[in-house]
Amino acid sequence: MRSSLAPGIKLITSFSRDSWYRGFILFLTFLFYTSYHLSRKPISVVKSQLHRNCSNVVRPADLNVTNNETWCDWAPFDQDNYKTLFGAVDNSFLVAYAIGMFFSGIFGERLPLRYYLSTGMVLSGIFTSLFGLGYYWNIHSIWYYAFVQAMNGLVQTTGWPAVVACVGNWFGKGKRGFIMGVWNSHTSVGNILGSLIAGVFVSSAWGLSFIVPGIIIASTGVLCFFFLVEHPDDVNCVPPQHHESTEQEPLLRNSSSNEEIFSSPPPGTETSVVERSEDPAEAISFCGALKIPGVMEFSLCLLFAKLVSYTFLYWLPLYIANVAHFDPKGAGDMSTLFDVGGIVGGILAGVVSDYTGGRASTCCVMLIFAAPMLFLYNHVGANGVPTTVGMLLVCGALVNGPYALITTAVSADLGTHECLRGNSRALSTVTAIIDGTGSIGAAIGPLLAGVISPTGWNNVFYMLITSDLLACLLLSRLVYKEIRGWCGYHTRMRGFKEI
C-alpha cells in the first residue's frame, strides 16, 4: 500500500512558485529595512553614556582629572549645552534625510532598485561605523559627528521608497493592510535589535555600538545585490492585481473580495495584467504625484505623527534614565518596549483598516486615544517597573500604529491609485513624498525636544500631545468621506487627464 505524502511536503507543495517568490521578497525586504533602523537606533542609547552623572561613577585610582563633575563624559558633550549638541547631531541626520527623501523617490523610479538599495546600505554601513570610530580615533569635534550623521541620513533615504516600491511590485491590494502591518514590524524589530546591540557595548566601548550595526547593514547590502528580484516579470511570475476592475472607486476603498495577497490573479485576468505591466509608461512627476487624491492629507498627517514617533526614538532612553533613574543599558533595554507596542499597533491598524476599508478613520481613532495616553505616561509612567512597562507598550501601539499604516498600506494604495490609469511607476515617488514630508516632522521633533527639555519634560509631552491632535485634525476630510461611504453616499472621483 502506497504511503500518503508527508504533511510537511503537502504544505510546501500547496504553495505555488509565485507564492514562494512573494514570500521570499517579503522576507528579504523585511530584513533590509530592519538593518536600516538597526543602524539608526544606537545614537539614542549612547547619549546617556556620552553625558552622565559622574558623581555616581567610580573613578579609576590612576585617573588624574581636574573636573570631578564631567570627568566621565565624552567631549564635546560634557558641557551644560549637551542637550543642544545632541539635538544638533540628531537633526544633522534627520534634516538630511528629509531633504534627500524628496529626491530619492525620483531616483528610485528611474534606477534599478537592486543597485540602488545595495549601494545605499553599504554606504550607510560605512557612515554608521565612522561615527563609532570617533571613539577609537579620540575625536571630540561636534562637526565630525554632525557631518557623519548628515551623510548617513542622506544615504539612508535609499531605503524606504525602494523597499515599498519592491513590495508594491509583488503584492496586490487584497489584505494589504494586514500583510504590510506585519511586514512593517521591521521598523520596531530594527529599533529593538539596535537598542540591544548598542546596549551590549555602551558601557565598555560605545564605539562598537555603531560599528557592529554598520557591519550588519553593509552585509545586508551585499545580500541585496545577490538576491533581490525587483519585478515578477524578471522571474516569469504573474504580476499582482492592484484593483478589482477598471471602474473608479472611492478614495482608498478596500477590496471586498477574498483575494489573498500571496495568490495570483484570477483566471482570465492574467493577460490584461501582464500587458499592462509591459506598457512603457513614464515615471510620474513630482507635481503629478501630489495631485493624487489623499497624498497631501496623509503626508501632512504623517509629518506630525512621525514627529511624535521620532522624538521617542531619539529621546526615550534619556528620558527613562533621567526620570526613572535607570542606567544607560537598562534605559536602552526598557525603551525597546515602546517598539514592541509599535509592532502590535501596526498589525492592529492594518487588520482594522482592511476590515473596515477606512485607512484614515483607523489612523484618526488611534491618534485620538494616543493623546491622553501620552499625558498619562508622563505623570504615572515612572511609578514602578510594571507601570512603566504597561504604559510604554500602550503608547508604542497608539503612536506607531498610524505611522506604520500611512507609510505602508496607505502609501501603496495611493501609489497604485485608480487615477494613475495603470501606471505602475508612481509607487516610489508617492512613497517618497509621504515619507519625506513625515521626515520633516521627524527632524523637527527631536530638535524641539532638545530645546524644550531644559524647561521640563512636561513641556515636551505637551508638544507631543499637540502634534498628535494636529495629525488627527488633518485627516478630518478623509474621515468624513469614509463615513459617508459607509452610510451609502459615494462621491464620484475626479478624473485625471494628465498626471
Side-chain angles (χ1 to χ4, degrees):
M1 180 176 178
R2 188 175 179 180
S3 61
S4 61
L5 198 61
I9 301 300
K10 283 184 178 180
L11 178 64
I12 293 173
T13 55
S14 65
F15 293 96
S16 66
R17 178 176 177 272
D18 286 15
S19 297
W20 280 112
Y21 264 108
R22 285 184 168 87
F24 178 65
I25 295 302
L26 202 67
F27 170 76
L28 272 186
T29 51
F30 181 95
L31 187 65
F32 295 157
Y33 212 69
T34 295
S35 68
Y36 272 98
H37 262 265
L38 182 148
S39 66
R40 297 178 192 175
K41 187 64 177 178
I43 184 64
S44 66
V45 177
V46 173
K47 279 178 183 176
S48 55
Q49 179 70 19
L50 297 177
H51 187 95
R52 295 184 287 173
N53 184 356
C54 297
S55 61
N56 296 331
V57 182
V58 178
R59 185 173 62 183
D62 58 344
L63 185 64
N64 185 19
V65 293
T66 58
N67 194 327
N68 292 327
E69 295 182 358
T70 62
W71 67 267
C72 66
D73 297 334
W74 186 268
F77 306 103
D78 57 342
Q79 303 301 315
D80 292 337
N81 65 339
Y82 71 97
K83 289 185 179 179
T84 302
L85 296 182
F86 284 152
V89 171
D90 292 343
N91 276 273
S92 297
F93 178 95
L94 294 168
V95 171
Y97 186 88
I99 295 172
M101 184 61 74
F102 289 103
F103 299 97
S104 179
I106 297 173
F107 292 136
E109 300 286 5
R110 292 160 175 81
L111 297 175
L113 293 179
R114 181 166 62 91
Y115 297 148
Y116 193 53
L117 262 176
S118 299
T119 302
M121 283 190 278
V122 170
L123 289 175
S124 182
I126 291 173
F127 286 114
T128 301
S129 299
L130 282 174
F131 196 103
L133 288 171
Y135 171 80
Y136 295 99
W137 294 342
N138 205 28
I139 296 175
H140 298 280
S141 170
I142 185 64
W143 297 109
Y144 172 82
Y145 296 109
F147 173 77
V148 169
Q149 281 289 83
M151 294 304 298
N152 198 11
L154 198 61
V155 298
Q156 287 227 351
T157 60
T158 57
W160 190 242
V163 294
V164 173
C166 188
V167 171
N169 290 337
W170 279 90
F171 294 92
K173 193 173 182 181
K175 296 187 179 178
R176 178 180 276 166
F178 170 70
I179 293 296
M180 284 197 155
V182 175
W183 175 75
N184 190 67
S185 63
H186 52 50
T187 299
S188 297
V189 171
N191 291 340
I192 292 169
L193 291 177
S195 296
L196 295 177
I197 292 172
V200 171
F201 306 105
V202 64
S203 298
S204 55
W206 62 260
L208 288 174
S209 296
F210 292 91
I211 294 174
V212 173
I215 293 173
I216 292 174
I217 188 173
S219 301
T220 56
V222 175
L223 191 69
C224 173
F225 179 81
F226 281 103
F227 292 102
L228 183 66
V229 182
E230 300 175 25
H231 299 281
D233 294 340
D234 296 339
V235 286
N236 297 319
C237 290
V238 179
Q241 275 190 303
H242 291 296
H243 306 290
E244 285 183 306
S245 65
T246 57
E247 296 179 3
Q248 294 177 339
E249 303 171 350
L251 175 63
L252 300 180
R253 185 78 177 273
N254 197 43
S255 172
S256 60
S257 70
N258 293 323
E259 174 202 0
E260 296 290 339
I261 197 164
F262 281 98
S263 66
S264 301
T269 64
E270 298 179 5
T271 304
S272 62
V273 173
V274 173
E275 289 176 355
R276 178 181 294 182
S277 67
E278 294 173 353
D279 183 21
E282 293 185 0
I284 194 170
S285 67
F286 184 87
C287 293
L290 286 176
K291 295 178 182 178
I292 298 173
V295 167
M296 288 294 293
E297 286 97 331
F298 276 112
S299 296
L300 293 174
C301 172
L302 186 63
L303 186 151
F304 291 101
K306 206 167 181 179
L307 183 154
V308 178
S309 181
Y310 267 67
T311 301
F312 274 98
L313 175 68
Y314 281 92
W315 287 92
L316 183 57
L318 185 62
Y319 171 79
I320 293 174
N322 289 350
V323 176
H325 308 294
F326 282 77
D327 58 39
K329 184 181 184 304
D333 293 344
M334 185 64 71
S335 70
T336 61
L337 294 172
F338 184 82
D339 296 297
V340 173
I343 295 175
V344 177
I347 296 174
L348 180 63
V351 171
V352 173
S353 67
D354 277 343
Y355 180 77
T356 63
R359 307 285 198 214
S361 300
T362 302
C363 291
C364 191
V365 170
M366 296 187 80
L367 289 168
I368 289 173
F369 280 102
M373 292 308 299
L374 290 176
F375 179 84
L376 197 60
Y377 171 62
N378 182 42
H379 284 80
V380 303
N383 295 343
V385 174
T387 305
T388 301
V389 170
M391 293 302 299
L392 283 173
L393 290 172
V394 173
C395 289
L398 295 174
V399 168
N400 286 337
Y403 162 38
L405 184 63
I406 293 172
T407 54
T408 54
V410 169
S411 296
D413 286 349
L414 295 174
T416 56
H417 199 272
E418 291 89 344
C419 69
L420 294 171
R421 311 245 193 261
N423 183 357
S424 62
R425 300 185 64 190
L427 189 51
S428 184
T429 300
V430 170
T431 301
I433 290 174
I434 293 175
D435 199 53
T437 306
S439 297
I440 296 174
I444 294 173
L447 176 63
L448 289 176
V451 174
I452 297 173
S453 58
T455 67
W457 287 107
N458 286 343
N459 295 328
V460 175
F461 275 86
Y462 292 146
M463 179 266 291
L464 298 178
I465 292 170
T466 301
S467 300
D468 247 329
L469 296 177
L470 287 173
C472 181
L473 184 63
L474 286 163
L475 291 180
S476 56
R477 187 187 72 86
L478 298 181
V479 171
Y480 175 72
K481 188 172 184 179
E482 287 176 353
I483 293 175
R484 282 178 60 86
W486 293 332
C487 295
Y489 299 97
H490 298 294
T491 305
R492 184 187 178 101
M493 189 183 68
R494 292 175 295 176
F496 279 66
K497 295 182 179 180
E498 292 183 4
I499 295 182

